[in-house]
Each structure stands twice: as C-alpha cells, then as structure tokens.
CSV table of all heavy atoms in Angstrom, one decimal:
chain,number,residue,atom,x,y,z
A,15,PHE,N,133.9,93.6,76.0
A,15,PHE,CA,134.2,92.3,76.9
A,15,PHE,C,134.6,92.7,78.3
A,15,PHE,O,134.3,91.9,79.2
A,15,PHE,CB,135.2,91.4,76.2
A,15,PHE,CG,134.5,90.5,75.2
A,15,PHE,CD1,134.3,90.9,73.9
A,15,PHE,CD2,134.1,89.2,75.6
A,15,PHE,CE1,133.6,90.1,73.0
A,15,PHE,CE2,133.4,88.4,74.7
A,15,PHE,CZ,133.2,88.8,73.4
A,16,LYS,N,135.3,93.7,78.5
A,16,LYS,CA,135.6,94.2,79.9
A,16,LYS,C,134.3,94.5,80.6
A,16,LYS,O,134.2,94.1,81.8
A,16,LYS,CB,136.5,95.4,79.9
A,16,LYS,CG,137.9,95.1,79.5
A,16,LYS,CD,138.8,96.3,79.5
A,16,LYS,CE,140.3,96.0,79.1
A,16,LYS,NZ,141.1,97.2,79.1
A,17,VAL,N,133.4,95.2,80.0
A,17,VAL,CA,132.1,95.5,80.6
A,17,VAL,C,131.3,94.2,80.9
A,17,VAL,O,130.8,94.0,82.0
A,17,VAL,CB,131.3,96.4,79.8
A,17,VAL,CG1,129.8,96.6,80.3
A,17,VAL,CG2,132.0,97.8,79.7
A,18,ALA,N,131.3,93.3,79.9
A,18,ALA,CA,130.6,92.0,80.1
A,18,ALA,C,131.1,91.2,81.3
A,18,ALA,O,130.4,90.7,82.0
A,18,ALA,CB,130.6,91.2,78.8
A,19,LYS,N,132.5,91.2,81.4
A,19,LYS,CA,133.1,90.4,82.4
A,19,LYS,C,132.7,91.0,83.8
A,19,LYS,O,132.5,90.3,84.7
A,19,LYS,CB,134.6,90.3,82.3
A,19,LYS,CG,135.1,89.4,81.2
A,19,LYS,CD,136.6,89.5,81.0
A,19,LYS,CE,137.1,88.5,79.9
A,19,LYS,NZ,138.5,88.6,79.7
A,20,ALA,N,132.6,92.3,83.9
A,20,ALA,CA,132.3,93.0,85.1
A,20,ALA,C,130.8,92.7,85.5
A,20,ALA,O,130.5,92.3,86.5
A,20,ALA,CB,132.5,94.5,85.0
A,21,ILE,N,130.0,92.7,84.5
A,21,ILE,CA,128.5,92.5,84.7
A,21,ILE,C,128.3,91.1,85.2
A,21,ILE,O,127.4,90.8,86.1
A,21,ILE,CB,127.7,92.7,83.3
A,21,ILE,CG1,127.7,94.3,83.0
A,21,ILE,CG2,126.4,92.1,83.4
A,21,ILE,CD1,127.2,94.5,81.7
A,22,PHE,N,129.0,90.1,84.7
A,22,PHE,CA,128.8,88.7,85.1
A,22,PHE,C,129.7,88.2,86.2
A,22,PHE,O,129.7,87.0,86.5
A,22,PHE,CB,128.9,87.8,83.9
A,22,PHE,CG,127.8,88.0,82.8
A,22,PHE,CD1,128.2,88.6,81.6
A,22,PHE,CD2,126.5,87.8,83.1
A,22,PHE,CE1,127.1,88.8,80.6
A,22,PHE,CE2,125.6,87.9,82.1
A,22,PHE,CZ,125.9,88.5,80.9
A,23,SER,N,130.5,89.2,86.8
A,23,SER,CA,131.5,88.7,87.8
A,23,SER,C,130.9,88.1,89.0
A,23,SER,O,131.4,87.2,89.6
A,23,SER,CB,132.4,89.9,88.1
A,23,SER,OG,131.6,91.0,88.7
A,24,SER,N,129.8,88.6,89.5
A,24,SER,CA,129.1,88.1,90.6
A,24,SER,C,127.6,88.0,90.2
A,24,SER,O,126.8,89.0,90.3
A,24,SER,CB,129.2,89.0,91.8
A,24,SER,OG,130.6,89.0,92.2
A,25,PRO,N,127.1,86.9,89.7
A,25,PRO,CA,125.7,86.7,89.2
A,25,PRO,C,124.6,87.1,90.1
A,25,PRO,O,123.6,87.6,89.6
A,25,PRO,CB,125.6,85.2,88.9
A,25,PRO,CG,127.1,84.8,88.6
A,25,PRO,CD,127.9,85.6,89.6
A,26,ARG,N,124.8,87.0,91.4
A,26,ARG,CA,123.7,87.3,92.4
A,26,ARG,C,123.7,88.8,92.7
A,26,ARG,O,122.7,89.3,93.3
A,26,ARG,CB,124.0,86.6,93.6
A,26,ARG,CG,123.8,85.1,93.5
A,26,ARG,CD,123.8,84.3,94.8
A,26,ARG,NE,123.7,82.9,94.6
A,26,ARG,CZ,123.7,82.0,95.7
A,26,ARG,NH1,123.8,82.4,96.9
A,26,ARG,NH2,123.5,80.7,95.4
A,27,LYS,N,124.7,89.5,92.3
A,27,LYS,CA,124.7,91.0,92.6
A,27,LYS,C,124.0,91.8,91.4
A,27,LYS,O,124.0,91.3,90.4
A,27,LYS,CB,126.2,91.5,92.7
A,27,LYS,CG,126.9,91.0,94.0
A,27,LYS,CD,128.3,91.6,94.1
A,27,LYS,CE,128.9,91.1,95.4
A,27,LYS,NZ,130.3,91.8,95.5
A,28,THR,N,123.6,93.0,91.8
A,28,THR,CA,123.0,93.8,90.7
A,28,THR,C,124.0,94.3,89.7
A,28,THR,O,125.2,94.4,90.1
A,28,THR,CB,122.3,95.0,91.4
A,28,THR,OG1,123.3,95.9,92.0
A,28,THR,CG2,121.3,94.6,92.4
A,29,VAL,N,123.6,94.7,88.6
A,29,VAL,CA,124.5,95.3,87.5
A,29,VAL,C,125.2,96.5,88.1
A,29,VAL,O,126.3,96.8,87.8
A,29,VAL,CB,123.8,95.6,86.3
A,29,VAL,CG1,123.5,94.3,85.5
A,29,VAL,CG2,122.6,96.5,86.4
A,30,LEU,N,124.5,97.3,88.9
A,30,LEU,CA,125.1,98.5,89.6
A,30,LEU,C,126.3,98.1,90.4
A,30,LEU,O,127.4,98.7,90.3
A,30,LEU,CB,124.1,99.3,90.4
A,30,LEU,CG,124.6,100.5,91.2
A,30,LEU,CD1,125.3,101.5,90.2
A,30,LEU,CD2,123.6,101.1,92.0
A,31,ASN,N,126.1,97.1,91.3
A,31,ASN,CA,127.2,96.7,92.2
A,31,ASN,C,128.4,96.1,91.4
A,31,ASN,O,129.5,96.4,91.6
A,31,ASN,CB,126.7,95.7,93.2
A,31,ASN,CG,125.9,96.3,94.3
A,31,ASN,OD1,126.0,97.5,94.6
A,31,ASN,ND2,125.0,95.5,94.9
A,32,ASN,N,128.1,95.3,90.3
A,32,ASN,CA,129.2,94.7,89.6
A,32,ASN,C,129.9,95.8,88.7
A,32,ASN,O,131.1,95.8,88.6
A,32,ASN,CB,128.6,93.7,88.6
A,32,ASN,CG,128.3,92.4,89.4
A,32,ASN,OD1,128.9,92.1,90.5
A,32,ASN,ND2,127.4,91.5,88.8
A,33,LEU,N,129.1,96.7,88.1
A,33,LEU,CA,129.8,97.8,87.3
A,33,LEU,C,130.5,98.8,88.2
A,33,LEU,O,131.5,99.4,87.7
A,33,LEU,CB,128.7,98.5,86.5
A,33,LEU,CG,128.3,97.9,85.2
A,33,LEU,CD1,127.3,98.7,84.4
A,33,LEU,CD2,129.5,97.6,84.3
A,34,SER,N,130.1,98.9,89.4
A,34,SER,CA,130.8,99.8,90.3
A,34,SER,C,132.3,99.4,90.5
A,34,SER,O,133.2,100.2,90.7
A,34,SER,CB,130.1,99.9,91.7
A,34,SER,OG,128.9,100.5,91.5
A,35,GLN,N,132.5,98.1,90.5
A,35,GLN,CA,133.9,97.6,90.5
A,35,GLN,C,134.7,97.9,89.4
A,35,GLN,O,136.0,98.0,89.4
A,35,GLN,CB,133.9,96.1,90.8
A,35,GLN,CG,133.1,95.6,92.0
A,35,GLN,CD,133.0,94.1,92.1
A,35,GLN,OE1,134.0,93.4,91.9
A,35,GLN,NE2,131.9,93.6,92.4
A,36,PHE,N,134.1,98.2,88.2
A,36,PHE,CA,134.7,98.5,87.0
A,36,PHE,C,134.9,100.0,86.8
A,36,PHE,O,135.9,100.5,86.4
A,36,PHE,CB,134.0,97.8,85.8
A,36,PHE,CG,134.6,98.1,84.5
A,36,PHE,CD1,135.8,97.6,84.1
A,36,PHE,CD2,133.9,98.9,83.5
A,36,PHE,CE1,136.3,97.8,82.8
A,36,PHE,CE2,134.4,99.1,82.3
A,36,PHE,CZ,135.7,98.6,82.0
A,37,TYR,N,133.8,100.7,87.0
A,37,TYR,CA,133.8,102.2,86.7
A,37,TYR,C,134.0,103.0,88.0
A,37,TYR,O,134.4,104.2,87.9
A,37,TYR,CB,132.4,102.5,86.2
A,37,TYR,CG,132.2,102.2,84.7
A,37,TYR,CD1,131.1,101.3,84.3
A,37,TYR,CD2,133.0,102.8,83.7
A,37,TYR,CE1,130.9,101.1,83.0
A,37,TYR,CE2,132.7,102.5,82.4
A,37,TYR,CZ,131.7,101.6,82.0
A,37,TYR,OH,131.5,101.3,80.7
A,38,GLY,N,133.5,102.5,89.2
A,38,GLY,CA,133.3,103.3,90.3
A,38,GLY,C,131.8,103.6,90.4
A,38,GLY,O,131.1,103.6,89.3
A,39,ARG,N,131.2,103.8,91.6
A,39,ARG,CA,129.7,103.8,91.7
A,39,ARG,C,129.1,104.9,91.0
A,39,ARG,O,128.1,104.7,90.3
A,39,ARG,CB,129.4,103.9,93.2
A,39,ARG,CG,128.0,103.4,93.4
A,39,ARG,CD,127.7,103.1,94.9
A,39,ARG,NE,126.4,102.6,95.1
A,39,ARG,CZ,126.0,101.3,94.9
A,39,ARG,NH1,126.9,100.4,94.6
A,39,ARG,NH2,124.7,100.9,95.2
A,40,MET,N,129.6,106.1,91.1
A,40,MET,CA,128.9,107.3,90.5
A,40,MET,C,128.9,107.1,89.0
A,40,MET,O,127.9,107.4,88.3
A,40,MET,CB,129.7,108.6,90.8
A,40,MET,CG,129.5,108.9,92.4
A,40,MET,SD,127.7,109.0,92.9
A,40,MET,CE,127.2,110.3,91.9
A,41,VAL,N,130.1,106.7,88.4
A,41,VAL,CA,130.1,106.6,86.9
A,41,VAL,C,129.2,105.4,86.4
A,41,VAL,O,128.6,105.5,85.5
A,41,VAL,CB,131.6,106.3,86.5
A,41,VAL,CG1,131.6,106.0,85.0
A,41,VAL,CG2,132.5,107.5,86.8
A,42,ALA,N,129.2,104.3,87.3
A,42,ALA,CA,128.4,103.2,87.0
A,42,ALA,C,126.9,103.6,86.9
A,42,ALA,O,126.1,103.2,86.0
A,42,ALA,CB,128.6,102.1,88.0
A,43,LYS,N,126.4,104.4,87.9
A,43,LYS,CA,125.1,104.9,87.9
A,43,LYS,C,124.8,105.7,86.6
A,43,LYS,O,123.7,105.5,86.0
A,43,LYS,CB,124.8,105.7,89.2
A,43,LYS,CG,124.6,105.0,90.4
A,43,LYS,CD,124.3,105.9,91.6
A,43,LYS,CE,124.1,105.2,92.9
A,43,LYS,NZ,123.7,106.0,94.0
A,44,ARG,N,125.7,106.6,86.3
A,44,ARG,CA,125.4,107.5,85.2
A,44,ARG,C,125.4,106.7,83.8
A,44,ARG,O,124.6,106.9,83.0
A,44,ARG,CB,126.6,108.5,85.1
A,44,ARG,CG,126.4,109.5,84.0
A,44,ARG,CD,127.3,110.7,84.2
A,44,ARG,NE,128.7,110.4,84.1
A,44,ARG,CZ,129.5,110.4,85.1
A,44,ARG,NH1,129.2,110.8,86.3
A,44,ARG,NH2,130.8,110.2,84.8
A,45,THR,N,126.3,105.7,83.8
A,45,THR,CA,126.4,104.9,82.6
A,45,THR,C,125.1,104.0,82.4
A,45,THR,O,124.5,104.0,81.3
A,45,THR,CB,127.6,103.9,82.7
A,45,THR,OG1,128.8,104.6,82.8
A,45,THR,CG2,127.7,103.0,81.4
A,46,LEU,N,124.6,103.5,83.5
A,46,LEU,CA,123.3,102.7,83.4
A,46,LEU,C,122.2,103.6,83.1
A,46,LEU,O,121.3,103.2,82.3
A,46,LEU,CB,123.1,102.0,84.7
A,46,LEU,CG,123.9,100.8,85.1
A,46,LEU,CD1,123.9,100.5,86.6
A,46,LEU,CD2,123.7,99.6,84.2
A,47,ASP,N,122.1,104.8,83.6
A,47,ASP,CA,121.0,105.7,83.2
A,47,ASP,C,121.0,106.1,81.8
A,47,ASP,O,120.1,106.1,81.1
A,47,ASP,CB,121.1,107.0,84.1
A,47,ASP,CG,120.8,106.7,85.6
A,47,ASP,OD1,120.1,105.7,85.9
A,47,ASP,OD2,121.2,107.6,86.5
A,48,LYS,N,122.2,106.4,81.3
A,48,LYS,CA,122.4,106.8,79.9
A,48,LYS,C,122.0,105.6,78.9
A,48,LYS,O,121.4,105.8,77.8
A,48,LYS,CB,123.8,107.2,79.6
A,48,LYS,CG,124.2,108.6,80.1
A,48,LYS,CD,125.5,109.0,79.8
A,48,LYS,CE,125.8,110.4,80.3
A,48,LYS,NZ,127.3,110.8,80.0
A,49,ALA,N,122.3,104.3,79.4
A,49,ALA,CA,121.9,103.2,78.6
A,49,ALA,C,120.5,102.7,78.8
A,49,ALA,O,120.0,101.9,78.1
A,49,ALA,CB,122.8,102.0,78.9
A,50,GLY,N,119.8,103.4,79.7
A,50,GLY,CA,118.4,103.0,80.0
A,50,GLY,C,118.2,101.7,80.6
A,50,GLY,O,117.2,101.0,80.3
A,51,ILE,N,119.1,101.4,81.6
A,51,ILE,CA,119.1,100.0,82.2
A,51,ILE,C,118.9,100.3,83.7
A,51,ILE,O,119.5,101.0,84.4
A,51,ILE,CB,120.4,99.2,82.0
A,51,ILE,CG1,120.4,98.9,80.5
A,51,ILE,CG2,120.4,98.0,82.8
A,51,ILE,CD1,121.7,98.3,80.1
A,52,GLU,N,117.9,99.5,84.3
A,52,GLU,CA,117.5,99.6,85.6
A,52,GLU,C,118.7,99.1,86.5
A,52,GLU,O,119.3,98.0,86.2
A,52,GLU,CB,116.3,98.7,85.9
A,52,GLU,CG,116.0,98.4,87.4
A,52,GLU,CD,115.8,99.7,88.2
A,52,GLU,OE1,115.0,100.6,87.7
A,52,GLU,OE2,116.3,99.7,89.3
A,53,HIS,N,119.0,99.9,87.6
A,53,HIS,CA,120.1,99.6,88.5
A,53,HIS,C,120.0,98.2,89.1
A,53,HIS,O,121.1,97.6,89.4
A,53,HIS,CB,120.3,100.7,89.5
A,53,HIS,CG,120.7,102.0,88.9
A,53,HIS,ND1,120.9,103.1,89.8
A,53,HIS,CD2,120.7,102.5,87.6
A,53,HIS,CE1,121.2,104.1,89.0
A,53,HIS,NE2,121.0,103.8,87.7
A,54,ARG,N,118.8,97.8,89.5
A,54,ARG,CA,118.7,96.6,90.3
A,54,ARG,C,118.6,95.3,89.5
A,54,ARG,O,118.6,94.2,90.0
A,54,ARG,CB,117.3,96.7,91.0
A,54,ARG,CG,117.2,97.8,92.0
A,54,ARG,CD,115.8,97.8,92.7
A,54,ARG,NE,115.7,99.0,93.5
A,54,ARG,CZ,114.5,99.3,94.1
A,54,ARG,NH1,113.5,98.5,94.0
A,54,ARG,NH2,114.4,100.4,94.8
C-alpha cells in the first residue's frame, strides 16, 4: 500500500517520477526494471 500510494500520488506523472519520491531515483529505476515495468 505504501508503493501504491506513491504510484498514484500524482496521476499525471510517470511511475518513475512518483516512485522516485518513495525509493529515490536510482532505486526506483532498478525496481521498475526488475518488475518489468516501463518507466514512462
């Protein structure tokens, strides 16, 4: 639920930008890559 809240925190922003506020940008990129989800 923490991840979900981060993802939907700003609907117009990309998941990378939203997750960066939760993880930090480098960790967010790595997490998205491991999950197989497009950054944009």
